[in-house]
Amino acid sequence: MEKAIHESMNAALRTLEKQAIIANNLANISTIGFKEEFNYFIRNKNSQDINKKYYNFSSGNFIQTERKLDLIVQDNGWLVTKDQNGQEAYTKNGHITINENGKLTIQNHELVLNEGNIKIPHGIDLKILPDGTIKQIQKNRDKIIESQIATLKLVRISNNSLIKKENGLFYNKKKLFNKKIILPHDNSIRIKSETLEASNVNPTKNMIDMISNARQFEMNMKIISICDQNIERANQLFNINN
């Protein structure tokens, strides 16, 4: 009886963890570049359940924005940013803004450049070429002068090597154990400007999974309740016989 309660409680806790991930997916339906998350449980040698996460890295729909600092990274490439600790992290969110210090940022994280260390003055027009080259556009009378000022760092990394943290950025699993690992810039990666990649969350599937998990949770709670009732009845019979 106690084993049934224990197993049902563990199953209910696992279901709640799945619900939390599904809720996070649904909350990020409109988040640019968001990748759908899933989880599963494996049992180790000590009969403990370990929560494993994996991600859907398929592309979301492309949105035409006509904004020069919006972009998508093609060829399975990633943009590189610095997190709050200065560590390199990766994102598919290509909505670039310029902060008060003249730095290119995505969601308040500074973009890492392969070439250049720029501080962009207010009101300067920029465009980004397919190879990640950033050009400054200036109008001089009847002429338009373009000058290269920096190049975005673009990297390619195996999906199996990526892990996401609570800040929403992806990291190289190997780098978490070896801080010296720095991925090089990949010259073959191309970007497309004036376009953004939408979240790849499938709302219908996630809603169905949420309903299914809710029913599973109710079933586990019912099993626990039945076990409690059976234990109580058994105790009553034991007291009567004594």
Side-chain angles (χ1 to χ4, degrees):
M1 195 74 70
E2 290 182 357
K3 183 178 180 181
I5 293 175
H6 178 72
E7 291 293 334
S8 296
M9 182 58 68
N10 283 338
L13 291 174
R14 292 195 295 268
T15 302
L16 287 177
E17 291 186 33
K18 289 181 179 180
Q19 288 292 66
I21 288 177
I22 293 172
N24 185 59
N25 286 338
L26 292 173
N28 284 280
I29 286 178
S30 59
T31 300
I32 298 300
F34 182 84
K35 296 304 177 186
E36 193 173 27
E37 185 175 327
F38 306 95
N39 72 337
Y40 65 96
F41 292 86
I42 60 174
R43 184 155 291 186
N44 63 14
K45 296 179 180 179
N46 299 321
S47 297
Q48 295 176 326
D49 290 334
I50 300 176
N51 186 5
K52 295 286 186 178
K53 293 182 180 180
Y54 63 102
Y55 310 95
N56 173 12
F57 287 107
S58 65
S59 297
N61 294 326
F62 294 158
I63 306 168
Q64 299 294 327
T65 66
E66 299 183 0
R67 179 177 177 270
K68 288 184 172 59
L69 290 183
D70 286 339
L71 60 86
I72 59 172
V73 189
Q74 301 173 321
D75 307 311
N76 296 320
W78 293 78
L79 288 165
V80 185
T81 67
K82 290 181 182 179
D83 66 12
Q84 62 274 17
N85 298 316
Q87 186 176 357
E88 285 196 358
Y90 315 111
T91 182
K92 285 288 190 178
N93 186 336
H95 182 65
I96 300 174
T97 58
I98 303 173
N99 67 13
E100 64 275 10
N101 297 319
K103 299 293 185 180
L104 297 176
T105 62
I106 291 177
Q107 293 181 311
N108 296 321
H109 298 291
E110 184 178 339
L111 274 173
V112 176
L113 303 175
N114 184 50
E115 294 178 358
N117 183 16
I118 56 177
K119 183 176 181 180
I120 302 169
H122 179 72
I124 294 295
D125 288 331
L126 300 175
K127 76 173 184 179
I128 304 177
L129 303 185
D131 64 354
T133 297
I134 304 171
K135 285 196 171 185
Q136 177 178 318
I137 305 172
Q138 294 176 307
K139 293 181 180 180
N140 187 1
R141 296 183 181 179
D142 297 332
K143 294 182 179 179
I144 296 178
I145 302 173
E146 296 183 1
S147 55
Q148 180 175 335
I149 59 174
T151 304
L152 293 173
K153 182 175 181 179
L154 304 170
V155 300
R156 193 187 308 275
I157 182 171
S158 167
N159 292 342
N160 294 331
S161 298
L162 289 166
I163 185 171
K164 188 169 69 173
K165 292 189 177 181
E166 292 181 357
N167 58 12
L169 299 173
F170 283 89
Y171 292 79
N172 184 356
K173 292 178 183 177
K174 296 179 181 178
K175 184 172 175 58
L176 296 179
F177 301 100
N178 185 352
K179 301 297 182 182
K180 295 181 180 180
I181 296 177
I182 299 293
L183 292 180
H185 171 75
D186 191 323
N187 290 313
S188 67
I189 296 174
R190 292 293 177 263
I191 65 103
K192 182 179 180 182
S193 60
E194 301 186 20
T195 308
L196 289 174
E197 180 184 335
S199 164
N200 68 354
V201 172
N202 183 329
T204 302
K205 179 182 180 303
N206 277 270
M207 286 299 298
I208 292 173
D209 288 345
M210 179 171 278
I211 294 171
S212 176
N213 284 334
R215 290 175 177 170
Q216 183 67 41
F217 181 82
E218 290 175 0
M219 186 185 305
N220 289 320
M221 290 296 98
K222 188 172 183 180
I223 291 173
I224 293 172
S225 176
I226 291 172
C227 288
D228 283 339
Q229 291 174 7
N230 289 340
I231 291 173
E232 184 178 350
R233 289 169 183 167
N235 288 334
Q236 289 175 352
L237 290 174
F238 179 80
N239 291 333
I240 291 172
N241 291 333
N242 289 329

